Amino acid sequence: MDPSHLKLFRSLEYVNLALNNISKIQMPRGGLEWLRKLDLTLNFIGLDSLEESIDNLAPCRSLEELFLLGNPCMGIEGKGDKKAGWTGCRAYIIARLPTLKSLDGTEIKRSERLIAVRQLPALTSELHSLAEECRRKDLEKRDDTSRASHVADEEATHHNPESRTKLSNETFDRKRAKEKQASANLPPEPKTERESEREHRETVQRTRERGGRELEEASGSTAQQNDGKIKQCNQGKYKFWFEEESEDDRGKRKSLLVMRVQVPRYLSISLIDADVHPTFVSVVIKSKILRVVLPVEVLSDQSIARRNTSTGYLELVMPKADPDDVLVGLGHVRDSSVKATPKRVGTAASGSVYGDAQQATRKGLGHSLLAAADANPLKIVQRETEEEAGTSHGDDEPPPLF
């Protein structure tokens, strides 16, 4: 930090600069008049800069506590005795700073100060000679370092500002890499309801656009190139199956194809979109696409979608285009004279469909495919089960699913 920046902190009473790369104490002009405690433990203040550092501390008239432990001028404890230190450093600092009451946590007594003041001229002369010797050693060390091509791995590193900076940067890089790895392993944050609905709408729009293109390819000139096949998918791994039902419509028998999809029971209807075409069905459930080729041709404009209030299953009720089309197992037989072939059954939970995919283009379906381009998405309604519709038990209906 530039000493001039400390002018903004003239009211500071305690400054802790321990474990830094400070080699010389610097203060703004006039010092910090309210500074009472200064901690410079484990820095790099040597004998060559000690006199100038104390000169910069002298204007601090309120300084009472000073910590210089672990600096080269005070001596660094190694395996043996103290090294690279000066035994007269404590007395020199006490004599130069008359307001100081404690040095390195040790109280300064009156007798110790009187002795230090009396020895100050001799201590100053000794400090000058030691500073010159320290500068000469530093210069020789720099020359040796510049000649050396590399440092062996087994060689001990020197305790200096460069090695401390390098060690600090390596520690910071390891910590940042560890935090990055930990954040990558965290589960993603759950999406809000508004985000889920927006993603669902975008997926529905993309699905309809893609379904329209595939329908045009199946009914146009590109059907021969792409074999006229609808691409099936089950991104949500939803289980589904087909069933046949029949009902009387004004005295006429009406054959129905019912597709049931096992969706979550309490999933909101706003997150479900169903689109029925004559030869395939496209359902978007919470941004997950389920596209299945139908085993028989259906009337898409007369189809309905409903929701079972007890199980939550989605039911697509689709009238057959040809009431004579029947399902044998999972196979499709158009004519009774044609022998039904066995069909391979897949596992819906693993993403495959029940039964092999039927081709989107069949004989005589050209007009139906063209009319399917105008198919509208179905409105999903709630369906009551037989038990719920009966009045014998007198139980209240379960609340509708949203």
Side-chain angles (χ1 to χ4, degrees), residues 100-137:
L100 204 62
K101 297 181 180 180
S102 174
L103 179 60
D104 289 338
T106 303
E107 183 183 358
I108 301 174
K109 298 181 180 180
R110 184 171 180 273
S111 58
E112 185 180 8
R113 185 179 299 278
L114 291 175
I115 296 174
V117 172
R118 192 163 49 245
Q119 296 176 350
L120 181 59
L123 293 173
T124 303
S125 177
E126 184 180 359
L127 177 60
H128 290 167
S129 60
L130 291 174
E132 289 295 333
E133 184 180 358
C134 184
R135 294 188 185 97
R136 180 178 56 81
K137 290 182 179 180

Side-chain angles (χ1 to χ4, degrees), residues 88-101:
C89 184
R90 178 180 173 86
Y92 177 79
I93 296 174
I94 293 174
R96 290 291 310 275
L97 301 176
T99 61
L100 204 62
K101 297 181 180 180

Side-chain angles (χ1 to χ4, degrees), residues 15 23 57 73 83 115 118 133 142 231 277 374:
V15 178
S23 58
L57 283 178
C73 63
K83 59 179 181 180
I115 296 174
R118 192 163 49 245
E133 184 180 358
R142 292 176 184 174
K231 295 181 180 179
H277 297 264
D374 299 329

Side-chain angles (χ1 to χ4, degrees), residues 221-323:
S221 60
T222 58
Q224 296 179 355
Q225 300 177 1
N226 299 331
D227 297 331
K229 293 182 179 180
I230 300 296
K231 295 181 180 179
Q232 301 186 106
C233 64
N234 188 1
Q235 297 178 351
K237 314 298 183 186
Y238 295 108
K239 294 183 179 180
F240 62 92
W241 61 93
F242 293 97
E243 295 180 0
E244 279 188 308
E245 294 182 1
S246 61
E247 64 179 15
D248 293 334
D249 185 11
R250 298 178 181 179
K252 297 182 179 180
R253 186 179 64 87
K254 194 173 184 180
S255 182
L256 304 175
L257 175 66
V258 181
M259 176 181 175
R260 290 183 171 87
V261 185
Q262 186 177 351
V263 299
R265 181 176 181 180
Y266 298 106
L267 182 65
S268 174
I269 296 180
S270 61
L271 298 179
I272 303 176
D273 183 88
D275 197 2
V276 177
H277 297 264
T279 57
F280 69 96
V281 171
S282 180
V283 183
V284 181
I285 305 172
K286 201 175 181 180
S287 305
K288 304 296 182 182
I289 303 174
L290 171 62
R291 187 183 296 110
V292 184
V293 173
L294 298 175
V296 296
E297 183 188 0
V298 299
L299 301 176
S300 59
D301 54 345
Q302 300 179 17
S303 302
I304 62 172
R306 61 194 182 191
R307 190 88 179 272
N308 194 312
T309 56
S310 61
T311 62
Y313 292 174
L314 175 65
E315 298 179 355
L316 302 179
V317 183
M318 301 163 284
K320 296 180 182 178
D322 186 358

Side-chain angles (χ1 to χ4, degrees), residues 355-366:
D356 287 342
Q358 302 294 329
Q359 293 186 356
T361 56
R362 297 187 179 92
K363 184 178 180 180
L365 301 184

